[in-house]
Amino acid sequence: MDASPSELADAGAPAGPPPVGVEAFLEAAGPLLDVRSPAEFAQGHIPGSTNLPLFDDAERAEIGTLFKQQGRQAAVLRGLALVGPRLEALAAALSAAAAGMPAPRLSSAGVIPSPPVAGSGSAGVEPLGLESVGGSACGADPPLLRKPGGTFPARQHLRIHCWRGGMRSGSVAWLAGQLDLPVLLLGGGYKTYRHWVLERFERPWPLRLLGGRTGSGKTDLLLALRERGVAVLDLEGRAHHRGSSFGALGLPPQPSSEHYENLLAADLTSLKGAGEIWLEAESSQVGRCRIPVGLWRQMKEAPALQVERPLEWRVAQLVAVYGCQDPTDLAEATNRIAKRLGPQRTALALEAIAAADWASACRQMLDYYDRCYDHDLSSHAVQAVDLGELETRAAAGLLLERGLVGAWPRGSERGS
């Protein structure tokens, strides 16, 4: 019931366990339950958390309006009326989470079925754990919480939070206490967590940029380096975007900038202790996701390694990525940069797309994108390396052998 207006969040909550700070909350074992409304959760959440809303979006708005118009008592009474009929279902969900089973979704009618979640191995639930950061799951939440098999040992703490650490999380913690389920509460709630996230980016990090013209295979090279033990922050993978006008094609929807920050903060925290952290040279936005200001400031000062590839190799790479996309989408992306391409190049590119001549279309784009990359890297201390037509893994090995990129030795400090 810490819905808008925010004063309701601070109006008090049932007595429960004392709250803990952000780092203790994140480092503790056990399922992480976010009891805010679905819309709040969708805007941004702690990576690895599961949404177990005490109120849905309409209910939260209703209670907030009541508080504003009639005061706290009316809002609390309405909240009790809404939650009362589904207390049993909420209790069952908490017990399931504590036992290592995914928490079911709730509605005013209690537990409701939902479609199977792809890859969860269980119907009607959202997995509590996470997939690996690496490999093809480049957009998955970072692996802060997952235990073998995606479950948690019995009797671990339920980590519960709401927006401000107010009545919603306190009420759910009280219910868990009646079931003898151990609970950890996040002091200050998600709001305090967000302050912690933004503070991560103000800390100094040993950043190194991997640059290169469009089609040089920078993202694949970074992922290959990560497989070889290099500390890598995957800006494009977390954004679900390749960074150009065409960058969203064939990828899942982008997260909000808020959740993008949450993901990157978790990744950076997991890389603490690395001597160097590699990331791709980007503009200040990756699609609609804005790179956090503190991180962007450090990126502008970071040294860069520029990889060079032959033009025809780059064209072939771009054809492999974009040649399978819908021609209509490709044409729309081309028109978005028509002013920068100029009328002649735009017309030639659109003709090539219509004729499914993907290589010719790519060549029309490269002049513009190459000039952009050259300009962006001109302010950095740049070292260039010619990788020729080396396969990606071989190229990663060459960078390591020459000492141009350093691996992160196993056993280095990891923490937050």
Side-chain angles (χ1 to χ4, degrees), residues 92 104 307 347 366 370:
V307 297
L366 283 179
D370 285 354

Side-chain angles (χ1 to χ4, degrees), residues 30-324:
L32 201 168
L33 303 179
D34 183 334
V35 300
R36 297 176 302 149
S37 67
E40 292 173 285
F41 185 85
Q43 176 64 22
H45 54 269
I46 299 176
S49 61
T50 295
N51 191 206
L52 188 66
L54 189 62
F55 302 115
D56 64 26
D57 299 328
E59 292 167 344
R60 174 176 176 263
E62 178 187 357
I63 292 170
T65 300
L66 271 175
F67 177 82
K68 186 175 182 180
Q69 295 179 351
Q70 300 182 32
R72 178 181 183 276
Q73 186 177 39
V76 170
L77 288 173
R78 180 56 180 155
L80 290 172
L82 291 169
V83 173
R86 53 180 186 258
L87 275 179
E88 183 179 0
L90 180 59
L94 293 172
S95 296
M101 296 183 291
R105 294 167 59 199
L106 301 178
S107 76
S108 57
V111 178
I112 59 174
S114 59
V117 176
S120 70
S122 178
V125 296
E126 181 178 357
L128 287 173
L130 306 171
E131 301 303 325
S132 168
V133 174
S136 61
C138 60
D141 282 350
L144 299 180
L145 308 171
R146 196 178 190 94
K147 303 299 178 184
T151 62
F152 300 88
R155 305 299 296 174
Q156 287 192 333
H157 284 85
L158 294 174
R159 294 179 290 166
I160 298 172
H161 77 87
C162 57
W163 166 236
R164 287 177 178 263
M167 292 190 71
R168 282 186 289 184
S169 58
S171 299
V172 175
W174 172 86
L175 180 59
Q178 304 312 300
L179 301 170
D180 295 324
L181 300 176
V183 169
L184 280 180
L185 286 174
L186 174 59
Y190 180 75
K191 182 178 181 181
T192 295
Y193 167 76
R194 282 290 299 160
H195 287 303
W196 178 88
V197 163
L198 296 177
E199 190 273 334
R200 298 292 100 179
F201 303 119
E202 298 302 325
R203 294 187 175 190
W205 297 95
L207 302 183
R208 306 289 185 272
L209 302 184
L210 186 69
R213 292 179 165 182
T214 300
S216 298
K218 300 182 292 296
T219 298
D220 289 343
L221 184 54
L222 281 173
L223 296 179
L225 287 167
R226 182 163 62 189
E227 290 178 358
R228 301 283 293 269
V230 175
V232 169
L233 186 65
D234 187 2
L235 297 175
E236 293 189 358
R238 288 300 184 204
H240 296 167
H241 202 281
R242 301 184 189 91
S244 71
S245 177
F246 304 83
L249 299 183
L251 294 178
Q254 290 197 263
S256 68
S257 285
E258 177 180 313
H259 193 56
Y260 186 54
E261 291 171 346
N262 295 348
L263 293 167
L264 293 180
D267 286 343
L268 274 176
T269 298
S270 73
L271 299 176
K272 181 180 177 181
E276 52 190 47
I277 297 173
W278 286 87
L279 63 170
E280 189 166 338
E282 299 280 359
S283 60
S284 60
Q285 286 193 202
V286 187
R288 293 190 302 274
C289 291
R290 182 172 295 278
I291 293 175
V293 173
L295 181 63
W296 173 244
R297 187 186 308 119
Q298 295 185 59
M299 287 175 63
K300 291 193 294 185
E301 302 297 326
L305 177 66
Q306 179 173 344
V307 297
E308 298 177 349
R309 296 283 200 174
L311 174 61
E312 292 309 310
W313 190 94
R314 294 163 53 211
V315 169
Q317 291 293 111
L318 293 171
V319 169
V321 172
Y322 295 109
C324 58

